[in-house]
Amino acid sequence: MVPNLFLLIYTTSDYGFSNNSLVYRQNKSEIQKAVLWTILIGLALSFNLLVFQTGMIAILTYIIITAGLTFLKPRSDKLSWYLGMEFLNLGVALLFTFLFSAFIAEHNYIEPPFINYLFGLVLSSVVLADIFRRSNLIDIKSNDADGNFERILIFIFIMALQWWYLAIVLAGMLIYRLIRYRKFDKTWIISPLAGVGLSFLWLLLMNFGLI
């Protein structure tokens, strides 16, 4: 199993602890947060690798490149630029994964299966939230707290094959939204469906060793 450590660092720092969409809108606070969290998350997930020369070179180089790319994002808020920059970050992370996956699998304190589990959890929660913001399904400044909480639980229970708990979460969140917001919104359907779909996909990918 390939440990997707670099993708986990990128998605957690840029999507989980800052508003990636506001970075493109030239929000200085979000840009600073994205860079800061890239450094902090990168070191937190790989601090034991820094005692090795290979690990230090890999982690520090990746952090510097990712931080640099964050400063390039605000050049444009067009969808084409957004997709181009995100695919560039994806390509950099995949390149580092290809070059250092064997070293990370052997030396990192987090086992590859758990790295990939966390990566899937981040994708199904905060990365989906950013896609919703870019698609104007939710407000650009929204942290999508309800949706993130819902999709995190969906991911956990699907990965654990706990179908009754999954049903309780889906029903419970619908009731919660009806009580709190009353006025129906299409994200009430899109958010859990996206969470369920991505979580099932991740379950299959991990079980068949494809991720």
Side-chain angles (χ1 to χ4, degrees):
M1 180 174 288
V2 177
N4 288 287
L5 176 64
F6 298 102
L7 280 168
L8 178 60
I9 293 172
Y10 173 65
T11 53
T12 304
S13 58
D14 271 40
Y15 294 87
F17 290 92
S18 60
N19 187 325
N20 193 45
S21 291
L22 287 181
V23 170
Y24 286 92
R25 297 283 180 96
Q26 303 182 31
N27 185 302
K28 291 183 179 179
S29 174
E30 294 300 325
I31 295 169
Q32 293 168 356
K33 283 166 59 178
V35 172
L36 176 61
W37 282 111
T38 296
I39 298 170
L40 295 178
I41 295 296
L43 296 178
L45 293 175
S46 61
F47 66 89
N48 68 309
L49 298 179
L50 300 178
V51 300
F52 304 98
Q53 184 178 20
T54 300
M56 181 178 291
I57 292 173
I59 299 302
L60 295 184
T61 302
Y62 179 73
I63 288 174
I64 291 170
I65 291 174
T66 305
L69 289 175
T70 299
F71 285 111
L72 287 178
K73 287 181 178 181
R75 287 181 58 186
S76 175
D77 188 44
K78 293 182 178 179
L79 181 60
S80 58
W81 178 261
Y82 171 83
L83 293 175
M85 287 301 300
E86 295 307 309
F87 278 117
L88 179 57
N89 276 285
L90 174 64
V92 170
L94 290 176
L95 174 62
F96 274 75
T97 299
F98 174 76
L99 293 175
F100 300 105
S101 60
F103 174 82
I104 291 170
E106 182 178 353
H107 296 289
N108 196 34
Y109 75 103
I110 308 177
E111 294 293 325
F114 192 55
I115 290 176
N116 292 343
Y117 179 92
L118 292 176
F119 179 40
L121 185 64
V122 171
L123 285 178
S124 64
S125 54
V126 292
V127 173
L128 278 180
D130 193 67
I131 293 173
F132 294 160
R133 284 191 290 266
R134 297 298 304 192
S135 304
N136 295 316
L137 290 173
I138 60 176
D139 186 80
I140 193 75
K141 296 182 180 180
S142 171
N143 61 10
D144 194 27
D146 294 343
N148 285 335
F149 176 70
E150 173 185 52
R151 293 190 299 275
I152 286 172
L153 292 180
I154 288 172
F155 182 86
I156 290 171
F157 292 136
I158 287 180
M159 294 299 289
L161 306 179
Q162 296 293 325
W163 311 121
W164 280 111
Y165 285 114
L166 174 63
I168 291 171
V169 168
L170 294 174
M173 286 301 297
L174 180 60
I175 294 170
Y176 164 78
R177 285 172 169 139
L178 285 170
I179 294 173
R180 181 175 180 182
Y181 302 109
R182 298 188 181 182
K183 185 179 180 181
F184 176 78
D185 188 278
K186 57 186 177 182
T187 57
W188 297 9
I189 303 299
I190 296 173
S191 173
L193 281 180
V196 168
L198 185 52
S199 299
F200 268 116
L201 174 62
W202 210 254
L203 177 66
L204 293 174
L205 290 175
M206 288 197 67
N207 283 347
F208 285 102
L210 299 175
I211 191 68

